[in-house]
Amino acid sequence: MLNHLKRWLSSKRVPRSAVIATLCFAILLTISHFGGARFSARHLTHPISFQARNHLGFGPEINSHLKIFSIDQKTLGEIGRDDISVEDWTALFGALHKSKVRAVYIDLPFSFPITRDEKLLQKFRDAAQALKPVVVAARHEREKINGLTPARLGFLGFDPGSLKNLDDSAELVYGPHTSLSGILTHVGHVDVEVDGEFKPLRRVSKEDVILHWSLQAIFKFESKDGQLVISDSPVPLNEAGSALVNLPDPSLISDRVTSLEPFLRRARSGQSLEGIDEGDIVLIFNDMSRATLVRTPVGEVPREVVMTSILNGALQGQWLEHLRAEALLLFAACFIGFVLAAVTHPAVSAGLLIFSTLLLIGGSLAIFAFSNVLISWGMPISGLLLTGFTVLADRIRTRERRARLLKSSLTGVVSPKALRAIVRSSRALDVEPRCQELTIMFIDIVGFSRHAMKHSADVNFKRLSDYFNSVRAIIHQYGGVVDRSLGEGLICYFGYQVAGQPRILANHAEAALDCAIRIQQEALGLSIAQDDPDSVIFPLRIGINSGEVHIGDLGAANRIEITAIGHVVNIAQRLEGACGVYRILCGLQTVDHLRDRIDLLTGMRKRNISIKNQEAKFEVYEHDPFALRPDLVEKAIQKFRKSYGRSIEDHRYSIPADAPIAIWTQLGRASLVDVSFSGLSVELEEVLGQGTLLKFTIDSQDRTMETALRDAEIEIIIAEVRWGREAGEGYRYGLMIKNLTVEQRQTLLNQFQRFLTAPLAKSS
């Protein structure tokens, strides 16, 4: 995977997968900015994190000194009224004072006069003064309530303006009645927010703030560098000034709620309060069975459970912190998803993405359980999965498109096994043009065009396609790469590695010649086996040359077309044209690579040939795969001629060996064998390639022929070599006249008539 990543990083252009990953990150970042992250946290990540932590037993424990009481229906039934009287409060305060409790928290505002009896009020004042501290609830309103006097509270001991995230909106706070001023001095707001958050501080006026009810009396407050510190524990606040409530399993709190009735009864009778010990913190709530439910990460719970959780967290010094780097975490998740999908094999990418998702969730839950850092992993998980699977889908689509391209471009070019390996490989196909030493092979079917005149185009195409498929299979067996079909022939390379990096094979010339011998053997066997005159016979010529060529992909953007260019390729094609039927003509460099193959060199015969458009003669070597069985070659040629001659309309006439006619070419004297309206056959000692142009003149013993040709304005005759084969010590060539008009050709044929015998046969 690291190698894939290095290769990607070193690429000169930005991969499309990187663009996709960037777009995914930008989209999710935008969604997160417009509330997507909070929605995800509220409905998915925070509930799972809290529930998992509590289920695994890593939630906060309830402080053993917390004693929670409810003014339930049983209590109200005992006192026979809707609220607790001043006498009962006085008795309860006295009993709690005797128990030496640390503090008493009462979820009541005491906003109205509790009695008009001064004696009872004084006893209440004395009991409250002795019990200190007593924390009561406050109401905060943005509008003034008639009949109540707003309280002004200033008790923090530091400038609240130094806090960074304090709400700047002024609110009115209604606390204890003025008759209780100086007694119930600890007043806190009791508001809690949805999703497990609360505001430790609320502004009362421009100068004053009010603490939350759960944080009153027993805690020390400081402001350090703009951050709220409670009893030496920093309280992380968000931009709105809210803190996270460290919520335990709600049942842990509910199980500890006790009816106030038995304690109130004992307090009335002056008895000690059993179950309340020195240093305990007493919380007194209204009937919790009728409490307002608040939506939190642990479900909908009574507001009093949240308030108790706040106090419990403050006592434990365990404040929750929300991980602030949401954008960075989202980027990291998108990058991980991109890397996993972009550089790993698609078959394992999906599994790695799922595993990484579970790992991210598990890691987030572990961090929350052990360090109280809450991670909103919903958007990062979305980033990882969205980026990963989008990039993966694009990779699969690209691979499928690549597979289709490779199959359409390379089917028949390389072997099926090599093609499957190329398609499966994740590496880029190396078809960049480069110089490389190769062996080039040209294969041509002799006389197929004339033979095809007997059949329809679709039949010819089918036969040619089937035959070339068999030839390609042989080429692939010897490690060759087929460039393309050339109508009636093929061009292929040996030593070019399509599937990997450039690598010159030491035996590419040997492989090419071995392959050519095998192809000729198959062709000869097929020709001999044909008995039907209408059957297709494929006599072949093969030219092989070795050397440095420039090879690579010259196809369009949606197709790969491997092509080699250079002088070596041109010579190989000329060798094929100069080659005899069922023979193989090799260039000098090819033979140089065969020094260790005595078996191949033994059958080589040196030739000096003239090639079209080349003045100098070339030293080449001819290999006859059937040197020991020339009868087989003759048999195949006879069958080919028999089948081939049926479609020819041009008559050939033989010339007697002692005819007083001389043919003079630029290569010397040639022996005339036969003539036709379109051309003639001659014998030469030289090896000529197909397409070579011969210039010649004709002499006769009595000079009458020269005079007749001169009168017809025939001085030099130009003819093209159309075919050639070995004949005794030399070679016989079929020449097609190129520069004479119909009238001139007829004149030439008429001049030959004095020496002609009967027509031979229909032939080319």
Side-chain angles (χ1 to χ4, degrees):
M1 187 174 78
L2 291 177
N3 291 333
H4 285 285
L5 182 60
K6 290 178 181 178
R7 188 159 53 250
W8 173 79
L9 292 174
S10 62
S11 62
K12 295 181 180 179
R13 62 184 182 87
V14 178
R16 188 170 67 174
S17 55
V19 177
I20 293 174
T22 303
L23 289 176
C24 290
F25 170 71
I27 292 172
L28 290 175
L29 187 63
T30 303
I31 294 174
S32 176
H33 178 74
F34 287 100
R38 185 170 182 81
F39 179 87
S40 170
R42 178 183 303 170
H43 297 283
L44 176 65
T45 62
H46 288 185
I48 293 177
S49 297
F50 275 90
Q51 297 285 5
R53 182 184 70 158
N54 293 336
H55 180 73
L56 296 174
F58 292 104
E61 297 180 355
I62 306 302
N63 192 293
S64 59
H65 286 289
L66 286 180
K67 302 298 171 64
I68 309 170
F69 299 98
S70 173
I71 307 175
D72 55 7
Q73 294 301 312
K74 184 178 179 181
T75 304
L76 296 178
E78 170 66 22
I79 62 178
R81 51 185 293 173
D82 293 336
D83 57 1
I84 300 178
S85 65
V86 65
E87 295 91 339
D88 290 336
W89 281 119
T90 302
L92 185 59
F93 285 176
L96 292 173
H97 175 63
K98 292 179 181 180
S99 298
K100 298 181 179 180
V101 296
R102 182 180 177 186
V104 177
Y105 289 79
I106 305 174
D107 185 20
L108 293 172
F110 292 91
S111 298
F112 300 95
I114 58 175
T115 182
R116 297 186 181 277
D117 189 327
E118 281 296 328
K119 291 183 178 181
L120 293 178
L121 182 60
Q122 186 58 45
K123 289 181 179 180
F124 175 82
R125 289 175 178 172
D126 293 341
Q129 289 281 7
L131 179 61
K132 282 185 179 181
V134 177
V135 181
V136 296
R139 293 174 58 189
H140 62 91
E141 302 288 346
R142 294 186 180 275
E143 302 292 337
K144 184 175 181 180
I145 299 178
N146 293 329
L148 293 180
T149 302
R152 288 185 56 83
L153 308 172
F155 50 82
L156 281 179
F158 65 89
D159 180 13
S162 63
L163 296 176
K164 294 180 179 179
N165 299 328
L166 192 61
D167 188 0
D168 290 333
S169 59
E171 294 178 338
L172 298 176
V173 174
Y174 298 92
H177 189 263
T178 54
S179 62
L180 301 176
S181 60
I183 301 174
L184 302 179
T185 57
H186 295 282
V187 183
H189 76 85
V190 293
D191 291 331
V192 294
E193 302 174 354
V194 295
D195 306 323
E197 295 181 356
F198 79 105
K199 289 185 180 296
L201 298 171
R202 278 193 177 276
R203 187 174 293 281
V204 176
S205 66
K206 293 183 178 181
E207 296 82 15
D208 299 321
V209 295
I210 183 171
L211 284 169
H212 194 274
W213 176 86
S214 303
L215 302 178
Q216 286 282 355
I218 61 176
F219 301 103
K220 182 181 72 171
F221 294 86
E222 297 177 274
S223 174
K224 293 183 179 180
D225 300 324
Q227 185 175 22
L228 177 65
V229 179
I230 299 178
S231 298
D232 300 324
S233 296
V235 182
L237 303 178
N238 61 19
E239 295 79 2
S242 299
L244 290 169
V245 181
N246 196 358
L247 290 162
D249 186 342
S251 63
L252 297 179
I253 295 178
S254 301
D255 292 345
R256 301 189 56 172
V257 176
T258 306
S259 174
L260 186 62
E261 183 270 333
F263 293 89
L264 184 58
R265 188 174 61 250
R266 294 181 67 86
R268 283 176 168 181
S269 62
Q271 300 178 36
S272 61
L273 303 179
E274 294 182 0
I276 298 179
D277 302 317
E278 182 178 354
D280 285 348
I281 300 173
V282 176
L283 285 72
I284 301 176
F285 295 105
N286 272 319
D287 190 357
M288 293 181 64
S289 63
R290 298 182 179 181
T292 302
L293 297 180
V294 180
R295 187 182 68 207
T296 71
V298 294
E300 290 190 339
V301 299
R303 178 179 60 90
E304 290 76 5
V305 171
V306 180
M307 296 168 63
T308 304
S309 300
I310 298 172
L311 177 56
N312 183 69
L315 290 172
Q316 307 282 25
Q318 297 176 347
W319 296 103
L320 297 184
E321 181 178 1
H322 194 286
L323 186 65
R324 303 287 184 178
E326 290 93 346
L328 181 61
L329 185 60
L330 176 60
F331 173 80
C334 290
F335 181 75
I336 292 173
F338 161 71
V339 170
L340 292 178
V343 304
T344 60
H345 194 280
V348 299
S349 294
L352 288 176
L353 289 171
I354 299 299
F355 175 77
S356 299
T357 299
L358 297 177
L359 188 63
L360 179 55
I361 295 175
S364 300
L365 296 180
I367 291 173
F368 179 50
F370 292 105
S371 63
N372 289 327
V373 176
L374 185 59
I375 300 176
S376 297
W377 42 263
M379 293 304 290
I381 290 297
S382 301
L384 189 149
L385 294 177
L386 176 64
T387 303
F389 280 104
T390 303
V391 171
L392 179 59
D394 181 72
R395 278 192 70 196
I396 293 174
R397 177 174 173 271
T398 302
R399 284 174 67 92
E400 291 177 348
R401 186 169 61 247
R402 173 180 178 270
R404 289 194 298 269
L405 170 63
L406 292 174
K407 289 178 180 179
S408 64
S409 301
L410 299 181
T411 297
V413 176
V414 297
S415 66
K417 180 179 179 181
L419 180 57
R420 288 192 296 270
I422 293 171
V423 172
R424 287 196 303 265
S425 175
S426 61
R427 301 176 63 181
L429 189 65
D430 180 21
V431 289
E432 290 297 321
R434 59 180 179 270
C435 288
Q436 183 175 343
E437 185 180 10
L438 301 175
T439 295
I440 313 296
M441 178 191 295
F442 275 83
I443 305 171
D444 184 60
I445 300 176
V446 178
F448 182 80
S449 297
R450 288 288 186 96
H451 187 84
M453 295 170 60
K454 298 188 299 179
H455 306 284
S456 62
D458 58 336
V459 171
N460 291 323
F461 186 87
K462 177 71 167 54
R463 289 175 173 177
L464 192 62
S465 176
D466 291 343
Y467 183 69
F468 277 164
N469 286 337
S470 65
V471 174
R472 289 190 186 96
I474 297 174
I475 294 171
H476 295 155
Q477 289 177 14
Y478 287 87
V481 174
V482 179
D483 177 350
R484 61 190 181 276
S485 298
L486 302 172
E488 302 163 12
L490 290 175
I491 176 174
C492 55
Y493 316 125
F494 291 82
Y496 182 66
Q497 303 298 312
V498 177
Q501 296 299 318
R503 183 163 61 92
I504 299 176
L505 299 178
N507 64 345
H508 54 79
E510 295 181 17
L513 186 52
D514 287 335
C515 178
I517 293 172
R518 171 78 179 282
I519 291 173
Q520 289 289 32
Q521 290 172 343
E522 295 288 338
L524 184 71
L526 181 64
S527 298
I528 293 176
Q530 299 294 343
D531 294 325
D532 185 358
D534 290 330
S535 62
V536 180
I537 296 177
F538 298 106
L540 302 180
R541 294 190 300 249
I542 300 178
I544 300 175
N545 195 31
S546 302
E548 189 173 88
V549 300
H550 203 73
I551 186 170
D553 178 24
L554 296 182
N558 60 347
R559 182 167 180 82
I560 298 172
E561 188 173 311
I562 300 170
T563 302
I565 59 175
H567 185 63
V568 173
V569 181
N570 298 333
I571 295 299
Q573 186 174 20
R574 300 297 181 231
L575 293 179
E576 173 267 309
C579 184
V581 178
Y582 298 112
R583 303 288 177 88
I584 304 165
L585 207 56
C586 301
L588 181 59
Q589 285 183 287
T590 301
V591 177
D592 288 340
H593 285 286
L594 304 175
R595 298 306 179 191
D596 297 331
R597 291 292 301 274
I598 304 301
D599 58 320
L600 296 178
L601 293 175
T602 302
M604 292 286 187
R605 289 197 299 174
K606 182 179 177 180
R607 294 280 187 263
N608 291 309
I609 67 170
S610 298
I611 296 180
K612 182 180 178 180
N613 299 328
Q614 298 288 337
E615 294 183 2
K617 292 186 178 182
F618 280 81
E619 178 183 336
V620 298
Y621 290 82
E622 184 181 67
H623 183 84
D624 183 0
F626 313 103
L628 300 179
R629 293 297 306 273
D631 57 310
L632 296 179
V633 176
E634 184 62 28
K635 183 178 181 180
I637 291 176
Q638 291 301 326
K639 284 197 171 188
F640 169 68
R641 287 176 179 172
K642 183 177 181 181
S643 175
Y644 186 38
R646 290 171 177 255
S647 62
I648 303 302
E649 299 178 356
D650 201 5
H651 294 276
R652 290 191 298 115
Y653 301 89
S654 64
I655 302 294
D658 57 353
I661 301 175
I663 304 294
W664 296 96
T665 73
Q666 71 265 36
L667 301 177
R669 182 169 179 170
S671 300
L672 183 61
V673 179
D674 56 56
V675 298
S676 68
F677 177 78
S678 58
L680 63 159
S681 297
V682 299
E683 289 185 356
L684 283 167
E685 294 182 356
E686 304 289 339
V687 178
L688 301 178
Q690 185 180 18
T692 302
L693 295 180
L694 285 179
K695 299 178 181 180
F696 61 89
T697 59
I698 303 175
D699 292 340
S700 61
Q701 190 173 10
D702 58 4
R703 312 296 295 176
T704 57
M705 191 171 188
E706 293 95 309
T707 302
L709 296 181
R710 190 181 306 112
D711 292 342
E713 299 183 351
I714 302 174
E715 296 183 359
I716 297 177
I717 301 173
I718 301 175
E720 179 184 357
V721 176
R722 300 304 301 272
W723 55 267
R725 63 174 179 268
E726 193 172 1
E729 297 297 326
Y731 294 89
R732 181 174 297 179
Y733 299 103
L735 307 179
M736 176 174 283
I737 298 173
K738 305 290 290 185
N739 67 325
L740 300 185
T741 64
V742 173
E743 292 78 10
Q744 288 174 327
R745 292 186 186 189
Q746 188 62 53
T747 299
L748 180 61
L749 184 59
N750 292 338
Q751 290 300 315
F752 279 128
Q753 284 179 348
R754 294 181 298 128
F755 312 103
L756 298 180
T757 61
L760 293 173
K762 294 180 179 180
S763 181
S764 59

